[in-house]
Amino acid sequence: MSAPLSVDGIAAPPRANGELLFAAPWESRAFGLAVSLYEAGAFDWPRFQAALIARIGAWDADRVGDWSYYHHWLAALEDVLVDTGAVPGGEVASRAEALALRPAGHDHPHPHP
């Protein structure tokens, strides 16, 4: 991984004993997606960090909803991808809405064996 992650400060990912900490699988996927897109040249890291800091700052000003570092991370990634024109603005919202409507277990049987 070549992304210059902050070790401390508002943009630093959560860590435990120096290791990145993910509370749910989707958080590690969001992290990997952002790092992979950065490494592929989709955006520069300072731009992503600025978007992340802006998202965290906006949440901190209002404190609406529960704190989730990776919700801000994902929102910052969406901001950067829309701002750079990599993804059309309406595409992110409409795609997220369509995915949210899928029923649980749409891609595998439930209950799990």
XYZ file of all heavy atoms in Angstrom:
859
model
N 0.848 -1.178 0.000
C 0.000 0.000 0.000
C 0.888 1.233 0.000
O 1.826 1.336 0.768
C -0.893 -0.020 1.248
C -1.747 1.218 1.359
S -2.883 1.210 2.759
C -1.783 1.103 4.137
N 0.596 2.132 -0.901
C 1.401 3.332 -0.999
C 0.671 4.593 -0.558
O 1.248 5.670 -0.583
C 1.876 3.510 -2.440
O 0.755 3.725 -3.282
N -0.597 4.494 -0.172
C -1.340 5.681 0.263
C -0.698 6.238 1.532
O -0.440 5.497 2.476
C -2.791 5.327 0.524
N -0.410 7.537 1.539
C 0.228 8.150 2.717
C -0.783 8.424 3.827
O -1.196 9.555 4.050
C 0.818 9.435 2.147
C -0.064 9.774 0.988
C -0.551 8.462 0.433
N -1.176 7.370 4.525
C -2.183 7.500 5.586
C -1.664 8.330 6.739
O -0.504 8.201 7.133
C -2.573 6.121 6.115
C -3.230 5.165 5.144
C -3.384 3.798 5.787
C -4.567 5.704 4.682
N -2.532 9.161 7.284
C -2.186 9.912 8.488
C -2.121 8.940 9.657
O -2.908 8.001 9.747
C -3.242 10.976 8.770
O -3.333 11.884 7.697
N -1.172 9.172 10.542
C -1.036 8.332 11.727
C -1.773 8.958 12.899
O -2.269 8.262 13.786
C 0.449 8.111 12.069
C 0.609 7.312 13.347
C 1.143 7.411 10.913
N -1.859 10.277 12.898
C -2.620 10.959 13.934
C -3.341 12.154 13.311
O -3.135 12.485 12.152
C -1.717 11.398 15.092
C -0.532 12.218 14.616
O -0.558 12.729 13.491
O 0.431 12.344 15.379
N -4.219 12.736 14.080
C -5.009 13.846 13.576
C -6.382 13.389 13.126
O -6.700 12.199 13.152
N -7.189 14.336 12.715
C -8.586 14.074 12.393
C -8.764 13.107 11.219
O -9.743 12.369 11.161
C -9.319 15.402 12.124
C -10.829 15.206 12.119
C -8.847 16.049 10.838
C -11.605 16.502 12.145
N -7.830 13.078 10.285
C -7.963 12.223 9.103
C -7.352 10.840 9.301
O -7.443 9.996 8.415
C -7.321 12.890 7.890
N -6.744 10.591 10.448
C -6.089 9.295 10.681
C -7.121 8.191 10.879
O -8.052 8.342 11.670
C -5.186 9.384 11.905
N -6.975 7.077 10.158
C -7.896 5.953 10.352
C -7.757 5.373 11.761
O -6.672 5.421 12.357
C -7.444 4.922 9.320
C -6.522 5.624 8.401
C -5.974 6.804 9.143
N -8.847 4.790 12.280
C -8.773 4.159 13.601
C -7.754 3.015 13.604
O -7.649 2.276 12.627
C -10.189 3.621 13.831
C -11.042 4.153 12.742
C -10.153 4.665 11.664
N -7.033 2.905 14.695
C -6.030 1.860 14.836
C -6.097 1.259 16.225
O -6.540 1.905 17.163
C -4.622 2.427 14.622
C -4.378 2.932 13.212
C -3.001 3.594 13.116
N -2.823 4.258 11.851
C -2.246 3.724 10.780
N -1.765 2.516 10.841
N -2.145 4.406 9.660
N -5.620 0.021 16.322
C -5.439 -0.654 17.602
C -4.077 -1.309 17.553
O -3.799 -2.084 16.635
C -6.533 -1.692 17.841
N -3.226 -0.968 18.490
C -1.852 -1.489 18.526
C -1.133 -1.263 17.201
O -0.384 -2.109 16.729
C -1.834 -2.974 18.887
C -2.358 -3.217 20.277
O -2.113 -2.428 21.191
N -3.101 -4.287 20.449
N -1.391 -0.122 16.573
C -0.728 0.226 15.330
C -1.361 -0.356 14.075
O -0.993 0.011 12.969
N -2.297 -1.262 14.231
C -2.952 -1.895 13.079
C -4.262 -1.177 12.768
O -4.961 -0.731 13.683
C -3.258 -3.369 13.380
C -2.034 -4.210 13.657
C -1.157 -4.415 12.436
O -1.705 -4.497 11.318
O 0.075 -4.483 12.589
N -4.575 -1.072 11.475
C -5.848 -0.477 11.090
C -6.982 -1.280 11.703
O -6.923 -2.512 11.778
C -5.983 -0.447 9.568
C -4.998 0.482 8.853
C -5.071 0.279 7.355
C -5.286 1.942 9.208
N -8.013 -0.572 12.140
C -9.129 -1.189 12.844
C -10.403 -1.009 12.023
O -10.772 0.110 11.673
C -9.286 -0.524 14.215
C -10.324 -1.080 15.159
C -10.007 -2.512 15.540
C -10.394 -0.208 16.399
N -11.057 -2.124 11.718
C -12.321 -2.097 10.977
C -13.373 -2.800 11.820
O -13.183 -3.940 12.232
C -12.175 -2.808 9.627
C -11.086 -2.225 8.764
C -9.873 -2.880 8.621
C -11.268 -1.015 8.105
C -8.858 -2.352 7.833
C -10.267 -0.469 7.312
C -9.056 -1.141 7.183
N -14.496 -2.111 12.036
C -15.560 -2.672 12.869
C -16.489 -3.582 12.074
O -17.220 -4.384 12.655
C -16.360 -1.552 13.519
N -16.482 -3.451 10.743
C -17.362 -4.259 9.900
C -16.656 -4.490 8.571
O -15.819 -3.686 8.151
C -18.683 -3.533 9.687
N -17.001 -5.590 7.890
C -16.348 -5.879 6.600
C -16.465 -4.754 5.584
O -15.529 -4.509 4.816
C -17.058 -7.150 6.125
C -17.537 -7.809 7.371
C -17.910 -6.676 8.307
N -17.602 -4.060 5.550
C -17.763 -3.002 4.554
C -16.736 -1.896 4.767
O -16.334 -1.237 3.796
C -19.186 -2.435 4.551
C -19.527 -1.569 5.729
C -20.140 -1.953 6.880
C -19.255 -0.161 5.860
N -20.264 -0.881 7.726
C -19.733 0.229 7.124
C -18.659 0.793 5.055
C -19.628 1.539 7.593
C -18.551 2.101 5.522
C -19.034 2.465 6.769
N -16.304 -1.679 6.007
C -15.315 -0.634 6.264
C -13.982 -0.969 5.600
O -13.344 -0.097 5.005
C -15.130 -0.441 7.767
C -16.353 0.117 8.448
C -16.188 0.268 9.940
O -15.203 -0.255 10.517
O -17.050 0.923 10.563
N -13.562 -2.216 5.693
C -12.295 -2.591 5.052
C -12.422 -2.542 3.532
O -11.475 -2.188 2.833
C -11.838 -3.972 5.523
O -12.768 -4.967 5.161
N -13.608 -2.860 3.025
C -13.816 -2.769 1.568
C -13.779 -1.306 1.120
O -13.189 -0.986 0.077
C -15.128 -3.447 1.171
C -15.079 -4.961 1.306
C -16.251 -5.643 0.624
N -17.518 -5.368 1.271
C -18.057 -6.085 2.246
N -17.427 -7.153 2.681
N -19.210 -5.761 2.766
N -14.403 -0.407 1.884
C -14.380 1.024 1.543
C -12.951 1.546 1.590
O -12.524 2.315 0.726
C -15.273 1.817 2.492
N -12.205 1.113 2.594
C -10.806 1.517 2.716
C -10.007 1.035 1.509
O -9.290 1.812 0.868
C -10.208 0.926 4.003
C -8.748 1.210 4.167
C -8.311 2.394 4.722
C -7.800 0.274 3.759
C -6.952 2.652 4.865
C -6.450 0.520 3.892
C -6.023 1.719 4.449
N -10.143 -0.243 1.192
C -9.406 -0.808 0.064
C -9.782 -0.178 -1.264
O -8.925 0.033 -2.131
N -11.047 0.162 -1.427
C -11.497 0.793 -2.661
C -10.829 2.158 -2.827
O -10.308 2.475 -3.905
C -13.022 0.952 -2.645
C -13.645 1.634 -3.852
C -13.363 0.848 -5.127
C -15.151 1.789 -3.633
N -10.815 2.946 -1.762
C -10.202 4.278 -1.852
C -8.705 4.174 -2.137
O -8.174 4.887 -2.992
C -10.450 5.069 -0.568
N -8.028 3.298 -1.434
C -6.582 3.155 -1.636
C -6.294 2.652 -3.050
O -5.386 3.148 -3.728
C -5.965 2.223 -0.563
C -4.525 1.869 -0.898
C -6.046 2.887 0.813
N -7.074 1.696 -3.517
C -6.866 1.164 -4.871
C -7.093 2.233 -5.940
O -6.331 2.321 -6.911
C -7.802 -0.024 -5.124
O -7.466 -1.084 -4.284
N -8.141 3.025 -5.768
C -8.401 4.093 -6.743
C -7.297 5.145 -6.706
O -6.890 5.665 -7.743
C -9.774 4.722 -6.485
C -10.956 3.829 -6.874
C -12.263 4.416 -6.352
C -11.015 3.640 -8.382
N -6.814 5.451 -5.514
C -5.689 6.384 -5.399
C -4.459 5.818 -6.119
O -3.816 6.513 -6.913
C -5.361 6.658 -3.926
C -3.978 7.196 -3.730
C -3.647 8.496 -4.110
C -2.978 6.380 -3.195
C -2.353 8.980 -3.959
C -1.694 6.851 -3.045
C -1.377 8.147 -3.416
O -0.107 8.604 -3.284
N -4.149 4.562 -5.861
C -2.968 3.947 -6.471
C -3.108 3.830 -7.996
O -2.109 3.813 -8.701
C -2.703 2.579 -5.833
C -2.209 2.717 -4.402
C -2.020 1.397 -3.677
O -2.480 0.339 -4.176
O -1.419 1.423 -2.594
N -4.360 3.769 -8.465
C -4.602 3.716 -9.916
C -4.581 5.104 -10.543
O -4.717 5.225 -11.756
C -5.943 3.040 -10.182
N -4.429 6.141 -9.712
C -4.323 7.500 -10.233
C -5.649 8.219 -10.408
O -5.717 9.240 -11.094
N -6.718 7.708 -9.777
C -8.043 8.337 -9.916
C -8.098 9.704 -9.235
O -8.893 10.558 -9.626
C -9.126 7.419 -9.356
N -7.273 9.921 -8.225
C -7.231 11.200 -7.501
C -5.937 11.265 -6.720
O -5.254 10.251 -6.547
C -8.443 11.355 -6.564
C -8.617 10.211 -5.595
C -7.908 10.153 -4.402
C -9.491 9.166 -5.891
C -8.064 9.103 -3.518
C -9.654 8.098 -5.019
C -8.938 8.068 -3.828
N -5.598 12.463 -6.249
C -4.395 12.562 -5.411
C -4.809 12.517 -3.939
O -5.921 12.872 -3.576
C -3.556 13.799 -5.750
C -4.272 15.099 -5.511
O -5.024 15.222 -4.536
O -4.054 16.021 -6.317
N -3.875 12.042 -3.125
C -4.207 11.782 -1.727
C -4.551 13.045 -0.947
O -5.505 13.038 -0.151
C -3.090 10.989 -1.047
C -3.576 10.347 0.206
C -3.322 10.720 1.494
C -4.471 9.227 0.289
N -3.986 9.909 2.376
C -4.700 8.974 1.660
C -5.094 8.418 -0.655
C -5.530 7.953 2.106
C -5.918 7.394 -0.211
C -6.126 7.173 1.155
N -3.822 14.149 -1.121
C -4.204 15.368 -0.386
C -5.646 15.801 -0.678
O -6.334 16.314 0.212
C -3.194 16.409 -0.877
C -1.996 15.604 -1.256
C -2.562 14.341 -1.849
N -6.089 15.604 -1.899
C -7.476 15.956 -2.237
C -8.450 15.082 -1.445
O -9.458 15.558 -0.921
C -7.697 15.773 -3.738
C -9.029 16.250 -4.215
C -9.133 16.123 -5.713
N -10.255 16.888 -6.200
C -10.378 17.354 -7.424
N -9.433 17.128 -8.298
N -11.432 18.033 -7.773
N -8.147 13.792 -1.372
C -9.007 12.889 -0.594
C -8.975 13.251 0.885
O -10.018 13.304 1.546
C -8.580 11.432 -0.799
C -9.363 10.482 0.061
C -10.684 10.197 -0.224
C -8.773 9.899 1.167
C -11.421 9.340 0.592
C -9.490 9.043 1.986
C -10.813 8.762 1.695
N -7.790 13.521 1.405
C -7.693 13.895 2.819
C -8.487 15.168 3.109
O -9.147 15.267 4.146
C -6.231 14.106 3.210
C -5.480 12.810 3.413
C -4.061 13.062 3.875
O -3.328 13.830 3.262
N -3.687 12.425 4.957
N -8.425 16.150 2.211
C -9.177 17.396 2.408
C -10.674 17.116 2.421
O -11.419 17.680 3.240
C -8.819 18.400 1.320
N -11.129 16.237 1.528
C -12.550 15.874 1.498
C -12.949 15.144 2.777
O -14.032 15.382 3.326
C -12.847 15.015 0.272
N -12.073 14.270 3.259
C -12.354 13.534 4.500
C -12.428 14.492 5.680
O -13.350 14.422 6.508
C -11.282 12.466 4.725
C -11.382 11.630 5.995
C -12.716 10.887 6.071
C -10.214 10.643 6.056
N -11.487 15.400 5.771
C -11.489 16.379 6.861
C -12.745 17.252 6.787
O -13.361 17.551 7.811
C -10.200 17.215 6.818
C -9.007 16.332 7.215
C -10.309 18.452 7.708
C -7.649 16.947 6.944
N -13.146 17.636 5.590
C -14.365 18.447 5.432
C -15.590 17.668 5.903
O -16.456 18.213 6.589
C -14.525 18.873 3.973
N -15.674 16.395 5.527
C -16.808 15.573 5.959
C -16.848 15.413 7.479
O -17.903 15.522 8.100
C -16.747 14.189 5.299
C -17.203 14.190 3.870
C -18.695 14.438 3.806
N -19.194 14.300 2.462
C -20.476 14.086 2.168
N -21.377 13.989 3.134
N -20.867 13.997 0.920
N -15.690 15.134 8.067
C -15.637 14.980 9.528
C -15.959 16.316 10.200
O -16.707 16.364 11.181
C -14.253 14.447 9.962
C -14.090 13.007 9.466
C -14.095 14.538 11.468
C -12.685 12.438 9.643
N -15.444 17.405 9.675
C -15.719 18.725 10.237
C -17.196 19.083 10.168
O -17.749 19.652 11.116
N -17.849 18.759 9.063
C -19.282 19.034 8.931
C -20.077 18.223 9.950
O -21.009 18.729 10.572
C -19.743 18.720 7.507
N -19.695 16.945 10.129
C -20.386 16.127 11.135
C -20.139 16.705 12.523
O -21.065 16.803 13.336
C -19.898 14.677 11.089
C -20.572 13.850 12.154
C -21.762 13.205 12.055
C -20.109 13.642 13.487
N -22.068 12.598 13.248
C -21.071 12.854 14.145
C -18.975 14.047 14.201
C -20.933 12.450 15.475
C -18.841 13.647 15.525
C -19.807 12.856 16.150
N -18.917 17.094 12.797
C -18.566 17.608 14.119
C -19.319 18.903 14.429
O -19.648 19.165 15.583
C -17.054 17.838 14.199
C -16.577 18.024 15.622
O -17.083 17.325 16.523
O -15.701 18.883 15.836
N -19.606 19.705 13.431
C -20.317 20.968 13.648
C -21.766 20.729 14.052
O -22.315 21.483 14.874
C -20.253 21.823 12.391
N -22.377 19.678 13.501
C -23.799 19.422 13.775
C -24.029 18.256 14.726
O -25.043 18.200 15.406
C -24.542 19.127 12.466
C -24.553 20.315 11.528
O -24.414 21.458 12.010
O -24.683 20.096 10.309
N -23.131 17.286 14.692
C -23.231 16.072 15.520
C -24.577 15.374 15.353
O -25.204 14.946 16.326
C -22.984 16.393 16.988
C -21.630 17.000 17.256
C -20.735 15.985 17.805
N -19.384 16.534 17.949
C -18.490 15.996 18.724
N -18.782 14.937 19.430
N -17.286 16.493 18.779
N -25.030 15.288 14.122
C -26.276 14.579 13.816
C -25.915 13.157 13.413
O -25.093 12.946 12.526
C -27.051 15.287 12.684
C -28.279 14.476 12.280
C -27.432 16.698 13.109
N -26.551 12.175 14.054
C -26.260 10.777 13.764
C -25.057 10.285 14.547
O -24.358 11.063 15.206
N -24.867 8.983 14.484
C -23.755 8.359 15.203
C -22.444 8.615 14.475
O -22.405 8.752 13.259
C -23.984 6.845 15.310
C -25.186 6.513 16.175
O -25.497 7.303 17.080
O -25.802 5.464 15.929
N -21.361 8.630 15.234
C -20.024 8.786 14.669
C -19.609 7.505 13.961
O -19.779 6.402 14.501
C -19.009 9.106 15.756
C -17.599 8.919 15.282
C -16.776 7.884 15.574
C -16.867 9.783 14.395
N -15.573 8.048 14.936
C -15.602 9.198 14.199
C -17.172 10.969 13.762
C -14.634 9.776 13.388
C -16.209 11.537 12.945
C -14.949 10.951 12.767
N -19.120 7.649 12.766
C -18.552 6.523 12.040
C -17.462 7.059 11.125
O -17.748 7.733 10.130
C -19.613 5.798 11.196
O -18.980 4.880 10.308
N -16.223 6.790 11.466
C -15.100 7.245 10.646
C -15.269 6.791 9.197
O -15.085 7.567 8.266
C -13.781 6.711 11.216
C -12.586 7.089 10.387
C -11.951 8.320 10.579
C -12.100 6.233 9.408
C -10.866 8.674 9.810
C -11.016 6.584 8.628
C -10.394 7.801 8.835
O -9.317 8.153 8.059
N -15.650 5.537 8.997
C -15.705 5.024 7.629
C -16.944 5.481 6.852
O -16.932 5.438 5.628
C -15.515 3.505 7.610
C -14.055 3.178 7.835
C -13.602 2.714 9.055
C -13.126 3.434 6.832
C -12.246 2.462 9.267
C -11.779 3.193 7.031
C -11.340 2.709 8.242
O -10.003 2.480 8.453
N -17.980 5.933 7.515
C -19.056 6.608 6.782
C -18.505 7.906 6.180
O -18.806 8.239 5.032
C -20.249 6.907 7.686
C -21.176 5.751 7.837
N -21.488 5.202 9.055
C -21.863 5.032 6.915
C -22.312 4.187 8.878
N -22.552 4.066 7.583
N -17.695 8.619 6.951
C -17.081 9.850 6.442
C -16.068 9.528 5.344
O -15.951 10.260 4.361
C -16.414 10.640 7.576
C -17.369 11.023 8.652
N -18.524 11.733 8.408
C -17.363 10.774 9.977
C -19.180 11.905 9.539
N -18.497 11.326 10.512
N -15.337 8.470 5.538
C -14.356 8.021 4.539
C -15.053 7.761 3.205
O -14.618 8.236 2.161
C -13.689 6.741 5.061
C -12.721 6.075 4.145
C -13.006 5.235 3.099
C -11.293 6.175 4.187
N -11.850 4.807 2.507
C -10.789 5.359 3.148
C -10.400 6.856 5.027
C -9.426 5.221 2.922
C -9.036 6.708 4.790
C -8.570 5.909 3.751
N -16.148 7.010 3.247
C -16.866 6.670 2.026
C -17.494 7.911 1.381
O -17.447 8.083 0.162
C -17.944 5.631 2.341
C -18.592 4.920 1.166
C -17.567 4.268 0.258
C -19.567 3.875 1.691
N -18.048 8.796 2.215
C -18.635 10.036 1.689
C -17.553 10.906 1.037
O -17.776 11.507 -0.021
C -19.332 10.806 2.804
N -16.376 10.954 1.653
C -15.265 11.724 1.078
C -14.834 11.119 -0.258
O -14.545 11.843 -1.219
C -14.089 11.759 2.047
N -14.809 9.805 -0.326
C -14.460 9.143 -1.589
C -15.479 9.504 -2.668
O -15.107 9.819 -3.802
C -14.389 7.630 -1.394
C -14.085 6.811 -2.650
C -12.740 7.213 -3.255
C -14.123 5.329 -2.322
N -16.754 9.466 -2.323
C -17.793 9.850 -3.284
C -17.601 11.304 -3.723
O -17.706 11.616 -4.919
C -19.179 9.671 -2.670
C -19.551 8.223 -2.458
C -20.850 8.041 -1.687
O -21.516 9.051 -1.379
O -21.197 6.888 -1.394
N -17.307 12.185 -2.771
C -17.087 13.604 -3.098
C -15.959 13.765 -4.107
O -16.084 14.494 -5.096
C -16.748 14.414 -1.837
C -17.913 14.544 -0.879
O -19.067 14.273 -1.273
O -17.647 14.917 0.284
N -14.863 13.083 -3.861
C -13.691 13.209 -4.725
C -13.973 12.641 -6.116
O -13.613 13.249 -7.128
C -12.457 12.530 -4.074
C -11.316 12.393 -5.057
C -12.014 13.313 -2.857
N -14.628 11.495 -6.163
C -14.921 10.886 -7.465
C -15.887 11.734 -8.280
O -15.750 11.840 -9.499
C -15.460 9.464 -7.278
C -14.452 8.467 -6.705
C -15.124 7.121 -6.462
C -13.230 8.323 -7.603
N -16.837 12.363 -7.611
C -17.753 13.265 -8.316
C -17.009 14.538 -8.730
O -17.123 14.991 -9.873
C -18.987 13.592 -7.442
C -19.809 14.718 -8.052
C -19.845 12.340 -7.264
N -16.225 15.111 -7.811
C -15.491 16.348 -8.109
C -14.504 16.181 -9.268
O -14.279 17.114 -10.038
C -14.733 16.845 -6.873
C -15.668 17.390 -5.811
O -16.863 17.610 -6.103
O -15.185 17.602 -4.673
N -13.880 15.004 -9.367
C -12.911 14.787 -10.444
C -13.592 14.383 -11.749
O -12.928 14.280 -12.772
C -11.897 13.683 -10.063
O -12.618 12.473 -9.818
C -11.066 14.078 -8.860
N -14.904 14.137 -11.696
C -15.630 13.731 -12.893
C -15.507 12.248 -13.195
O -15.966 11.785 -14.233
N -14.893 11.503 -12.279
C -14.760 10.057 -12.490
C -16.120 9.377 -12.460
O -16.329 8.370 -13.132
C -13.836 9.445 -11.432
N -17.034 9.934 -11.672
C -18.388 9.396 -11.556
C -19.346 10.580 -11.633
O -19.154 11.562 -10.912
C -18.576 8.661 -10.204
C -19.996 8.169 -10.052
C -17.588 7.522 -10.079
N -20.372 10.495 -12.478
C -21.354 11.589 -12.518
C -22.065 11.717 -11.161
O -22.344 10.709 -10.508
C -22.336 11.153 -13.604
C -21.616 10.126 -14.407
C -20.632 9.477 -13.475
N -22.347 12.950 -10.754
C -22.925 13.226 -9.439
C -24.181 12.438 -9.143
O -24.323 11.842 -8.087
N -25.112 12.402 -10.040
C -26.361 11.681 -9.804
C -26.187 10.180 -9.799
O -26.985 9.455 -9.219
N -25.140 9.688 -10.421
C -24.902 8.253 -10.520
C -24.649 7.636 -9.145
O -25.139 6.542 -8.852
C -23.714 7.969 -11.442
C -23.374 6.509 -11.596
C -24.401 5.740 -12.428
O -25.156 6.382 -13.175
O -24.450 4.516 -12.305
N -23.898 8.327 -8.301
C -23.583 7.786 -6.980
C -24.872 7.603 -6.184
O -25.132 6.536 -5.627
C -22.605 8.708 -6.215
C -22.437 8.251 -4.774
C -21.263 8.750 -6.924
N -25.708 8.623 -6.137
C -26.941 8.552 -5.357
C -27.906 7.518 -5.928
O -28.486 6.722 -5.174
C -27.591 9.927 -5.297
N -28.086 7.505 -7.239
C -29.051 6.563 -7.817
C -28.569 5.125 -7.671
O -29.357 4.218 -7.409
C -29.333 6.911 -9.277
O -28.178 6.759 -10.062
N -27.281 4.899 -7.801
C -26.735 3.545 -7.654
C -26.852 3.079 -6.199
O -27.224 1.938 -5.940
C -25.283 3.508 -8.118
C -24.685 2.151 -8.119
C -25.193 1.327 -9.284
N -24.480 0.067 -9.294
C -25.050 -1.096 -9.523
N -26.304 -1.170 -9.832
N -24.346 -2.194 -9.498
N -26.551 3.979 -5.263
C -26.669 3.630 -3.837
C -28.116 3.315 -3.490
O -28.393 2.372 -2.742
C -26.150 4.768 -2.980
N -29.048 4.076 -4.048
C -30.462 3.840 -3.796
C -30.884 2.481 -4.347
O -31.602 1.728 -3.688
C -31.275 4.957 -4.438
C -32.736 4.961 -4.039
C -33.424 6.191 -4.586
O -33.025 7.312 -4.233
O -34.362 6.003 -5.384
N -30.450 2.157 -5.540
C -30.791 0.872 -6.149
C -30.210 -0.287 -5.337
O -30.883 -1.299 -5.113
C -30.285 0.823 -7.591
N -28.984 -0.144 -4.882
C -28.356 -1.215 -4.097
C -29.052 -1.386 -2.753
O -29.187 -2.498 -2.249
C -26.871 -0.921 -3.897
C -26.013 -0.994 -5.167
C -24.601 -0.507 -4.890
C -26.001 -2.402 -5.742
N -29.491 -0.276 -2.159
C -30.156 -0.349 -0.857
C -31.496 -1.071 -0.942
O -31.980 -1.602 0.063
C -30.341 1.056 -0.295
N -32.100 -1.110 -2.098
C -33.405 -1.760 -2.264
C -33.301 -3.272 -2.420
O -34.311 -3.970 -2.353
C -34.126 -1.164 -3.482
C -34.547 0.296 -3.339
C -35.136 0.805 -4.648
C -35.529 0.481 -2.190
N -32.093 -3.777 -2.616
C -31.938 -5.225 -2.766
C -32.249 -5.916 -1.444
O -31.855 -5.431 -0.382
C -30.525 -5.586 -3.206
C -30.178 -5.034 -4.568
C -28.806 -5.433 -5.010
N -27.818 -5.107 -3.986
C -26.538 -5.405 -4.071
N -26.069 -6.035 -5.118
N -25.717 -5.074 -3.101
N -32.951 -7.030 -1.492
C -33.255 -7.734 -0.239
C -32.010 -8.394 0.349
O -31.069 -8.721 -0.382
C -34.283 -8.786 -0.675
C -34.013 -8.991 -2.126
C -33.500 -7.684 -2.669
N -32.042 -8.587 1.659
C -30.935 -9.284 2.319
C -30.809 -10.672 1.712
O -31.814 -11.335 1.452
C -31.196 -9.377 3.815
N -29.605 -11.094 1.430
C -29.363 -12.418 0.887
C -29.664 -12.530 -0.589
O -29.809 -13.641 -1.107
N -29.748 -11.409 -1.286
C -30.060 -11.431 -2.710
C -29.034 -12.201 -3.528
O -29.357 -12.706 -4.595
C -30.169 -10.013 -3.267
C -28.861 -9.301 -3.253
N -28.006 -9.310 -4.310
C -28.239 -8.607 -2.276
C -26.918 -8.634 -3.994
N -27.040 -8.187 -2.764
N -27.823 -12.316 -3.025
C -26.761 -12.959 -3.791
C -26.307 -14.289 -3.216
O -25.381 -14.895 -3.708
C -25.565 -12.017 -3.926
C -25.007 -11.606 -2.580
O -25.661 -11.859 -1.555
O -23.917 -11.012 -2.553
N -27.008 -14.756 -2.169
C -26.694 -16.062 -1.591
C -27.868 -16.503 -0.712
O -28.630 -15.667 -0.250
C -25.385 -16.019 -0.804
C -25.402 -15.044 0.328
N -25.159 -13.711 0.164
C -25.665 -15.213 1.641
C -25.242 -13.093 1.319
N -25.557 -13.972 2.230
N -28.000 -17.806 -0.502
C -29.147 -18.294 0.263
C -29.015 -17.975 1.757
O -27.911 -17.906 2.289
C -29.113 -19.801 0.020
C -27.698 -20.097 -0.332
C -27.153 -18.870 -1.008
N -30.178 -17.772 2.385
C -30.243 -17.586 3.836
C -31.184 -18.637 4.397
O -32.161 -18.984 3.745
C -30.771 -16.187 4.169
C -29.709 -15.152 4.149
N -29.202 -14.570 5.268
C -29.036 -14.595 3.120
C -28.275 -13.681 4.924
N -28.162 -13.676 3.611
N -31.014 -19.155 5.543
C -29.869 -18.916 6.419
C -28.629 -19.591 5.861
O -28.718 -20.489 5.046
C -30.292 -19.542 7.742
C -31.269 -20.595 7.358
C -31.956 -20.095 6.103
N -27.505 -19.132 6.334
C -26.244 -19.709 5.885
C -26.112 -21.119 6.416
O -26.544 -21.404 7.524
C -25.066 -18.870 6.395
C -25.057 -17.504 5.814
N -24.035 -16.650 5.963
C -25.950 -16.802 5.083
C -24.269 -15.505 5.364
N -25.440 -15.578 4.839
N -25.539 -22.017 5.605
C -25.359 -23.406 6.082
C -24.378 -23.493 7.229
O -23.568 -22.708 7.462
C -24.829 -24.137 4.854
C -24.445 -23.125 3.845
C -25.040 -21.823 4.286
